[in-house]
Amino acid sequence: MTAHQPPPLGSAGAAAPRKDHLLLAGIVEPGSRVLDVGCGDGALLALLRDRNGVDGRGIELERDNVASALARGLSVIQGDADTDLFDYPDDAFDYVVLSQTIQATRRPRAVLEEMLRIGRHAIVSFPNFGHWRVRVDLAVRGRMPVNENMPFSWYDTPNIHFCTIRDFVGLVEVVGARMERAWALDGQGEPVRLPLPWWAWNLLGEQGVFLLRRS
Amino acid sequence: MTAAAPIPDSALAREARSQADEPQSLVMRFARDEPLMMDCGAALAPWQLAYQTYGTLNEARSNAVLICHALTGDQHAANAHPVTGKPGWWSSFVGPGRPIDTDRFFVICANVIGGCMGSTGPASTDPETGRPYGLDFPLVTIRDMVRAQAMLVTKLGIDSLFCVAGGSMGGMQVLEWAALYPHRVFAAMPIAASARHSAQNIAFHEVGRQAVMADPDWRNGRYLEEDARPRKGLAVARMGAHVTYLSESALHRKFGRRLQERTAPTFSFDADFQIESYLRHQGITFVERFDANSYLYVTRAMDYFDLADEHGGKLADAFRGSPTRFFVMSFTSDWLFPTEESRAVVRALNAAGASVSFVEIESDKGHDAFLLDEPDMFAAARGFIDGAAAARGL
């Protein structure tokens, strides 16, 4: 499995796109319809619009983020993935993206099922709780990890459903989705390109990225 | 009980009365062969719409913004009011450098049909009889208001509006515009609005109307000819309505249980509390500038509004295939048009596949928040309008 090479960066001076966003921009077909669930300030949607000519929509919980996304000229609804995906009709989008958000949902399984209902594809990325550093924190220090990918203490984190890459593969089987492609990203956000078995990805990947399809 | 002798009009009320036929603003007149076809079946002709404009229409005629006013608003959105002398009702939102920037956009604000500030309404003179229409005026709907505005916009030589924006009843008109003329609305911004008037809201309006009609000076709606005015009834209607525009926390912050110019209750029905005195003042000043029959007609128009009902009971069908970019806004403390009503609109727009954005603004000022200085509202509106302007190449 290899990721598409993203097209070269555009205008100099603008903040460089995040590596994981560039990976997603390499996945999404040009001109498609995309719903970004938990879209933050709209950075990914703006990238997909500008690079891929995507017709993008977003859902975001934080009002300030919605305002930032509006200022980028994006269509974003202040709302909650756990409750507001039900409002969308079947097959409304080509891709439904859940970037770094599934661990903050109350019902990850229901959210994933809704994504697969309203989109032809679902793209999910999340911090991998099976990464070796997490395991070291737990096994050696006996504490929940706090690092740049997971910057919250256990008592004030929005992340209530952490999972590992292998856990997520299990959920994909439970909801009966087809796994089209998967990536493990290293600390720099670059895909691990070595042809490794799952257990090794689960150990080395700081993030997992999955492209799923309704089966 | 006998009716008291009518109180003579104040200079302010005489001024307001004169605005009904000859307003201090622009007026578009429509002749006998340009009737307004109304939902009730009437063909109103001749008729006129009073309006104001701000800014300059560009050569491509692509930068026009239509502002729709709320129940008791008028065309004076961003200029001093000719009767009260107060700043325009949306002068914080519309003007040079404001979210609706009159340096960039050509802004039109029309008084609604059925109003009393120069658009044909119950206070206007009926050309058939030479008397004020009174209750002979046909019942008005939100859709009629929008049809009338569309005829005005057409006559101004504008095919497609860059944006239609408004709050409350104005927001209802925005939704109706987008549903009725989707290809004439590039962007739509309904604020603190709803796709239907709720039972609770109809109930409040009915209390207000009954207060007007219970006033012996209402004279079955013919008070203008009899030189009377149902002042008390209209003031009570306004007082009741005004409470629904605020929130308990805003009232509490502003007035609490504080007494008005006294240290102890008088054990009477005087306005002991500051809130009582404030409401009485609101009622009295409203009577000076607004026509009682117009109040009946315009509240009725809101009551009848149900956009889903106009589209076979399915709200999404009102927006099917819409090319318009929508931005819906609500306020946390608005209990008259609560966020859930706005969410219903957003759900329908999603189901229709329309481009929609939505924000609930944190405010404790109740329904009236859309008229006030709310920095979050300004910032969000500015973001939406700038984004839409970029998409239209403005």
Side-chain angles (χ1 to χ4, degrees):
Chain A
M1 277 189 239
T2 54
H4 285 186
Q5 199 57 39
L9 272 174
S11 61
R18 271 167 46 183
K19 292 246 176 64
D20 54 333
H21 286 178
L22 288 170
L23 176 75
L24 297 185
I27 300 171
V28 169
E29 284 168 41
S32 49
R33 287 171 54 83
V34 175
L35 176 67
D36 187 356
V37 182
C39 66
D41 64 3
L44 173 63
L45 278 176
L47 180 75
L48 291 175
R49 175 191 60 194
D50 299 341
R51 289 210 174 190
N52 300 36
V54 151
D55 178 9
R57 309 287 160 80
I59 300 178
E60 168 59 32
L61 209 50
E62 297 291 330
R63 182 172 27 249
D64 289 350
N65 277 337
V66 176
S68 303
L70 281 170
R72 295 178 192 255
L74 298 164
S75 296
V76 175
I77 289 166
Q78 187 186 6
D80 186 339
D82 276 305
T83 52
D84 293 339
L85 291 178
F86 300 98
D87 298 339
Y88 292 85
D90 296 356
D91 293 310
F93 295 92
D94 298 307
Y95 299 89
V96 181
V97 178
L98 191 66
S99 169
Q100 305 288 326
T101 303
I102 196 167
Q103 74 280 1
T105 62
R106 289 189 297 281
R107 297 183 298 158
R109 176 181 172 170
V111 168
L112 187 59
E113 284 171 340
E114 286 299 300
M115 290 173 68
L116 289 160
R117 176 183 67 79
I118 63 184
R120 280 197 299 126
H121 301 272
I123 299 175
V124 183
S125 74
F126 55 89
N128 173 28
F129 214 70
H131 186 254
W132 65 267
R133 279 207 295 168
V134 175
R135 300 190 197 199
V136 167
D137 277 334
L138 280 169
V140 178
R141 299 174 61 228
R143 302 193 65 170
M144 289 293 278
V146 179
N147 57 50
E148 63 273 20
N149 272 348
M150 305 174 188
F152 303 102
S153 297
W154 64 272
Y155 48 81
D156 65 359
T157 179
N159 301 322
I160 52 178
H161 279 126
F162 269 127
C163 67
T164 69
I165 285 177
R166 290 193 87 160
D167 285 332
F168 187 76
V169 171
L171 178 61
V172 170
E173 283 163 12
V174 166
V175 302
R178 206 167 79 215
M179 197 157 67
E180 293 193 298
R181 299 171 72 176
W183 296 260
L185 306 188
D186 64 20
Q188 278 71 51
E190 295 282 359
V192 177
R193 294 179 188 284
L194 303 172
L196 298 173
W198 279 115
W199 67 263
W201 274 25
N202 201 20
L203 199 61
L204 299 176
E206 291 215 356
Q207 289 180 51
V209 182
F210 289 80
L211 173 64
L212 310 174
R213 193 182 180 115
R214 198 186 312 150
S215 58
Chain B
M1 188 171 126
T2 55
I7 313 160
D9 276 346
S10 69
L12 228 54
R14 278 197 303 278
E15 175 59 37
R17 176 77 197 96
S18 75
Q19 295 283 331
D21 282 323
E22 294 297 332
Q24 268 176 272
S25 68
L26 301 166
V27 183
M28 190 65 83
R29 292 175 211 279
F30 296 83
R32 285 196 182 279
D33 60 346
E34 301 167 286
L36 177 67
M37 306 306 289
M38 301 174 74
D39 278 340
C40 66
L44 186 68
W47 61 284
Q48 66 182 43
L49 220 49
Y51 68 103
Q52 290 285 37
T53 68
Y54 314 91
T56 313
L57 188 62
N58 65 9
E59 221 161 273
R61 299 176 173 265
S62 61
N63 69 334
V65 175
L66 179 71
I67 306 272
C68 303
H69 70 72
L71 182 68
T72 60
D74 50 41
Q75 68 271 38
H76 303 288
N79 57 269
H81 196 278
V83 177
T84 65
K86 288 185 179 163
W89 57 271
W90 232 11
S91 48
S92 58
F93 210 104
V94 180
R98 307 279 191 202
I100 296 177
D101 188 345
T102 50
D103 289 337
R104 296 177 71 192
F105 306 117
F106 175 63
V107 176
I108 309 160
C109 182
N111 179 222
V112 294
I113 194 81
C116 55
M117 286 297 285
S119 297
T120 306
S124 308
T125 306
D126 180 351
E128 301 296 325
T129 63
R131 310 187 306 171
Y133 277 104
L135 296 195
D136 292 338
F137 196 73
L139 246 289
V140 174
T141 64
I142 298 290
R143 193 156 51 180
D144 293 333
M145 295 175 180
V146 167
R147 282 195 193 103
Q149 290 165 357
M151 288 173 77
L152 166 70
V153 168
T154 302
K155 253 196 168 171
L156 292 172
I158 296 159
D159 181 46
S160 157
L161 293 159
F162 162 60
C163 183
V164 182
S168 194
M169 185 181 86
M172 290 176 163
Q173 294 165 58
V174 173
L175 294 172
E176 185 68 65
W177 255 100
L180 205 52
Y181 308 108
H183 294 281
R184 301 189 72 179
V185 183
F186 186 80
M189 189 161 63
I191 308 174
S194 161
R196 61 172 177 75
H197 213 221
S198 71
Q200 177 176 273
N201 292 357
I202 296 170
F204 283 128
H205 275 174
E206 176 60 2
V207 171
R209 283 190 296 265
Q210 288 299 329
V212 170
M213 294 191 277
D215 188 324
D217 280 336
W218 182 59
R219 313 266 170 105
N220 279 318
R222 299 244 69 103
Y223 52 86
L224 286 174
E225 296 140 75
E226 299 181 17
D227 222 18
R229 301 284 182 278
R231 287 189 178 78
K232 288 177 178 155
L234 185 58
V236 169
R238 176 62 172 185
M239 289 166 73
H242 200 83
V243 176
T244 69
Y245 303 151
L246 308 174
S247 69
E248 163 57 13
S249 57
L251 279 177
H252 191 78
R253 191 183 57 237
K254 217 166 161 183
F255 306 105
R257 290 183 50 85
R258 285 190 294 279
L259 301 178
Q260 177 78 17
E261 290 167 358
R262 62 201 65 176
T263 51
T266 59
F267 296 101
S268 74
F269 295 108
D270 283 356
D272 277 2
F273 294 100
Q274 284 183 7
I275 177 64
E276 293 174 314
S277 164
Y278 168 78
L279 276 185
R280 289 182 189 192
H281 173 76
Q282 288 295 330
I284 290 162
T285 52
F286 179 64
V287 166
E288 298 273 294
R289 69 171 177 89
F290 212 85
D291 176 64
N293 282 339
S294 260
Y295 193 78
L296 304 183
Y297 275 82
V298 184
T299 55
R300 204 67 185 137
M302 287 181 80
D303 292 351
Y304 279 137
F305 186 60
D306 184 346
L307 196 51
D309 196 49
E310 292 174 20
H311 292 83
K314 207 166 173 203
L315 186 55
D317 286 345
F319 307 112
R320 197 72 64 191
S322 174
T324 303
R325 303 160 73 101
F326 290 85
F327 177 37
V328 179
M329 250 193 289
S330 68
F331 298 92
T332 48
S333 56
D334 183 351
W335 54 277
L336 197 61
F337 288 80
T339 290
E340 199 38 53
E341 300 274 355
S342 285
R343 280 206 177 276
V345 172
V346 171
R347 268 196 291 276
L349 287 164
N350 273 336
S355 163
V356 53
S357 297
F358 166 72
V359 170
E360 182 187 35
I361 301 294
E362 182 95 40
S363 166
D364 76 344
K365 301 199 181 81
H367 181 61
D368 261 358
F370 79 93
L371 295 168
L372 303 171
D373 286 323
E374 291 285 353
D376 287 348
M377 169 176 73
F378 292 160
R382 205 183 280 275
F384 171 72
I385 289 166
D386 289 352
R392 194 166 163 107
L394 290 174

